Amino acid sequence: IMRPPEDDSDRRLLLAVFAHVNDILEDATPTSPTTGEPLYRPEPWWVGHNVAFDLGWLWKRSIIHGLTPPFHIPAPYKTSHGKNCFCTMTAWAGHRDRISLSRLCRALGITDPKASGSISGGDAWEFWQRGDLNTVDGYNRGDVIACRAIFHRLEAMTARRAA
């Protein structure tokens, strides 16, 4: 479904995401202890569930809207778990298999954001089209909280092995 040209909701969303991530990167930029000047600009380390889908959406929509993010977003065919992102689905299920975020939450005893009757990813587009961005925002926030908890759980295991 194509939106009319006057609907700039994607563009506004992308610009808000770019600004938010840029602020995080600026806060994480190390500075010289003597001059206070930035030493280098860090690149984002993307964490998500099926992160290739999310990064692919950001990458493609940026191109469609003629936007250049102030940081690197890997192309969908260059998204690589462990190299430029951490994908909770790939970390748990491997490169060929899949597991839903809900099933992984249940397996790890983490609160499933969809258990409370929230919308699913398949519903998000419908709510977006209706302009119910608060519902979409709540859905995305729940997923981010769950992904963060899974990431910390899996990384804790990795850190124990490395020690």
Side-chain angles (χ1 to χ4, degrees):
I1 298 173
M2 296 296 291
R3 292 194 193 120
E6 64 274 6
D7 181 351
D8 69 342
S9 54
D10 271 4
R11 183 180 179 79
R12 286 183 288 117
L13 175 66
L14 288 166
L15 291 172
V17 168
F18 296 168
H20 182 70
V21 172
N22 199 51
D23 288 347
I24 291 169
L25 293 173
E26 284 182 10
D27 289 346
T29 301
T31 56
S32 166
T34 54
T35 66
E37 294 294 315
L39 295 174
Y40 62 89
R41 172 134 171 122
E43 285 294 326
W45 175 252
W46 304 100
V47 176
H49 192 81
N50 195 6
V51 73
F53 173 84
D54 297 325
L55 290 177
W57 188 90
L58 288 171
W59 188 80
K60 291 170 189 173
R61 298 311 291 180
S62 295
I63 292 169
I64 287 168
H65 291 288
L67 298 173
T68 302
F71 45 80
H72 179 66
I73 298 174
Y77 58 89
K78 290 189 176 186
T79 302
S80 178
H81 169 73
K83 182 178 177 189
N84 54 20
C85 67
F86 186 97
C87 179
T88 57
M89 181 179 72
T90 303
W92 188 261
H95 288 284
R96 293 183 185 188
D97 294 324
R98 297 183 176 274
I99 186 169
S100 71
L101 181 62
S102 292
R103 287 184 61 209
L104 185 52
C105 285
R106 286 192 304 272
L108 298 177
I110 292 170
T111 301
D112 175 5
K114 282 117 176 128
S116 64
S118 172
I119 67 172
S120 71
D123 301 322
W125 175 242
E126 179 184 329
F127 282 87
W128 180 269
Q129 285 182 305
R130 280 195 253 154
D132 188 352
L133 303 185
N134 288 332
T135 299
V136 176
D137 180 63
Y139 162 75
N140 287 328
R141 285 178 189 273
D143 277 9
V144 167
I145 291 166
C147 283
R148 180 186 295 150
I150 293 168
F151 170 74
H152 287 298
R153 186 86 171 274
L154 298 178
E155 280 297 288
M157 180 61 79
T158 303
R160 276 190 229 132
R161 283 191 309 234

